[in-house]
Amino acid sequence: MSGRPGRPGRPFGTSPEDVAHRRRLLSVGGRSVAWVIPLLLFAGILLTDLGTGGDFRVISWIVLVPGIAAAICGVWSTAVFGVLAIGGYVVVDGAWPHQYQSGLPDFILVAVGSLLATLACMVRIGGERRMLHMRDIAETTRRTVLRPFPVGWGGLDHAGVYLSADIDARVGGDFYDIQPGPHGTRVLLGDVQGKGLGSVETAAALLSTFREAAYHEPDLATVAQRLEVRMVRHRRHTAALGRSDGDRFATAVLIGFRDELPDAVEAVVFGHEPPLAVSPAGVRPVPARGGLPLGLGELVPGSSAPVQRVALAHDETLLMVTDGVTECRDSSGCFYRHADEVARAVAADPRNAEPRRLVALVRDGTLRHCGGRLADDTTVFAVRRLWH
């Protein structure tokens, strides 16, 4: 589960999703039928002009035909409708007696309008192509940072959703991953401080280190140490480049599932909200002490986030969120209490403890609480052991 529902406040047609949606609406069987609308308008104007008296001429309205085509059709279709509009004007206007003819002024209007409509269509098509290309680039970036997982990846039932506070962005500073390996399955969720492309770059750096260390390192403490070192190295690199994001840090939760610990997990918390353990019996916070965020360990020399062993029942799901959930407020400034809502939902229906249902529940509750206007990137991630 991933993606995001639409949110209010965005004018239609200003995003790649709107462009793709409009194209689907104007297609039948994969073929565009957008030309039908300006064709019907063309026929309607001609018939109306011929069917009314000479004191009420509407033939000049035919300039609307290429204008409408420019908004929904291709360049060649718009040009064809421009030619049809000019030809239709000449034929129909010439069929009236001289005293009722609209004449040269309206002809110039139709001709110039058709030309401008074709040029406007060229600009629109070029813009849409660039927009869709950027969407593809953003989607590739998203899939690189937040890669999709196969069903049952790492022996876990999992579900995750990422919601960007930026209307047009597809990825930001929130990140999560599952990495199975010879030493068990490791799970990481985190939130990079700040916004913009710098936070995406930092998230990608941490994920690349996690994917290698989580696979090769036998001890979760070493994985945690590698993440801290990677964050410090990344900060030094950006600072050496003179970039203003050289003081970034990241909060994170690192979880280790091991076959020899069927009733427990190992957890490392880097200044992040601890996970919730959710089961049909209820909701409880995972009793994990938090260490400093990644990148700030050097403030306290010799300190490191402790690896803690936490009991986890067979039917419990670990629910992890970023501060887009915990700091979500409504119009009156009240915070969203996702733990309370999850507890009520599980009490009403124990099936809501399943990862997919949990993620959907918290996602919908967050968007409902803030009225769809997220103040920060938001990630909800849930994992549970699969038992065979």
Side-chain angles (χ1 to χ4, degrees), residues 132-142:
L132 293 174
H133 180 62
M134 292 303 297
R135 181 195 65 174
D136 292 341
I137 294 175
E139 181 66 16
T140 300
T141 302
R142 186 191 71 82

Side-chain angles (χ1 to χ4, degrees), residues 219-225 254 256 258 265-270 289 304-310:
D219 297 323
L220 196 66
T222 306
V223 178
Q225 183 181 15
L254 176 63
R258 292 164 50 188
V265 295
E266 294 179 319
V268 183
V269 178
F270 301 95
R289 301 187 311 275
S304 61
V307 177
Q308 301 161 81
R309 184 172 296 183
V310 179

Side-chain angles (χ1 to χ4, degrees), residues 202-236:
T202 303
L206 289 172
L207 283 171
S208 63
T209 296
F210 168 74
R211 289 163 186 167
E212 290 301 308
Y215 182 87
H216 291 288
E217 299 295 345
D219 297 323
L220 196 66
T222 306
V223 178
Q225 183 181 15
R226 290 275 299 275
L227 289 171
E228 171 66 22
V229 171
R230 184 68 180 96
M231 187 68 204
V232 171
R233 289 174 54 207
H234 180 74
R235 288 176 53 188
R236 289 173 178 170

Side-chain angles (χ1 to χ4, degrees), residues 151-158 314 384-388:
V151 175
W153 183 241
L156 300 178
D157 183 9
H158 56 80
H314 289 200
R384 181 172 65 179
R385 273 192 174 102
L386 289 172
W387 299 98
H388 302 288

